[in-house]
Amino acid sequence: LLECASLVERIFFYGAGASSADLKEIVRSGLQAVFSRAEIHVGHDLDAAAVASYNGVPHIACILGTGSNSCFFDGKEIYEEVPALAYILGDEGGGSYYGKRLLADFFYKRMPAHLAEEFQQKYNMSMNTMVQKVYTEPHANVYLASLSKFCSEHKTEPYIQAMVRDGMRAFL
């Protein structure tokens, strides 16, 4: 890679971490250190979603991943009317939303018993584990989102279907 770096003329990088001027500059300077001759553009992942899904008609672009985000794109400007409040206050419909819901329902004993048993076996869940992963270790949002795989593995379960429906309604 390093021997080819001097041949690169332009880089377009879009990522969830590029949400402010300071963060964009961190990414840009890191890329510039390797690709010294390149013109580098750093943008937010929502910018990429808006532009990539544009077909000449103003539209709403959405991202549902670890978290969630949305915007209106008129072909020139991106309007983020509803802020992305991240995993603590927001991320409705995103993976961390479902992870939080699974954990709460598991510990509050609202999860159907057969699913709670499977959840326990799969994740060896305890209050100590949850507290460490969510409140002590870094990247709690990624941990929470990793639990959402349980939803896809049990997508035919009425409990999971209702949870996903609730998450989509909250996102919309």
Side-chain angles (χ1 to χ4, degrees):
L1 175 70
L2 291 178
E3 61 245 12
C4 297
S6 64
L7 302 174
V8 176
E9 295 177 4
R10 292 190 306 167
I11 294 175
F12 294 87
F13 175 91
Y14 295 93
S19 57
S20 70
D22 290 345
L23 293 172
K24 288 177 184 178
E25 181 53 30
I26 290 169
V27 173
R28 193 201 65 71
S29 64
L31 289 169
Q32 197 74 70
V34 176
F35 302 99
S36 58
R37 302 174 104 190
E39 173 189 332
I40 298 172
H41 171 80
V42 177
H44 193 266
D45 60 350
L46 194 56
D47 300 348
V51 172
S53 59
Y54 183 69
N55 66 356
V57 178
H59 69 288
I60 295 172
C62 303
I63 295 176
L64 292 171
T66 298
S68 64
N69 205 345
S70 64
C71 69
F72 175 76
F73 183 55
D74 65 8
K76 293 182 182 165
E77 295 291 323
I78 292 173
Y79 302 92
E80 199 171 346
E81 297 297 320
V82 178
L85 296 178
Y87 77 101
I88 293 174
L89 298 177
D91 281 349
E92 298 86 352
S96 63
Y97 171 90
Y98 296 115
K100 287 188 296 186
R101 179 88 181 264
L102 287 167
L103 285 175
D105 285 359
F106 176 79
F107 286 110
Y108 287 147
K109 300 188 185 324
R110 295 186 299 223
M111 186 181 286
H114 69 286
L115 290 177
E117 187 176 316
E118 282 190 53
F119 192 78
Q120 171 61 39
Q121 288 174 354
K122 181 173 180 85
Y123 298 106
N124 194 24
M125 191 54 62
S126 69
M127 187 64 82
N128 288 339
T129 299
M130 182 275 297
V131 167
Q132 181 173 341
K133 296 282 189 185
V134 174
Y135 296 102
T136 305
E137 294 180 9
H139 311 295
N141 61 324
V142 176
Y143 167 71
L144 291 166
S146 75
L147 300 174
S148 69
K149 184 177 181 190
F150 190 81
C151 293
S152 65
E153 293 168 349
H154 298 87
K155 62 186 171 201
T156 60
E157 291 282 344
Y159 161 80
I160 297 294
Q161 291 175 349
M163 180 190 304
V164 171
R165 199 168 30 256
D166 290 347
M168 291 295 101
R169 281 190 183 123
F171 175 72
L172 293 172

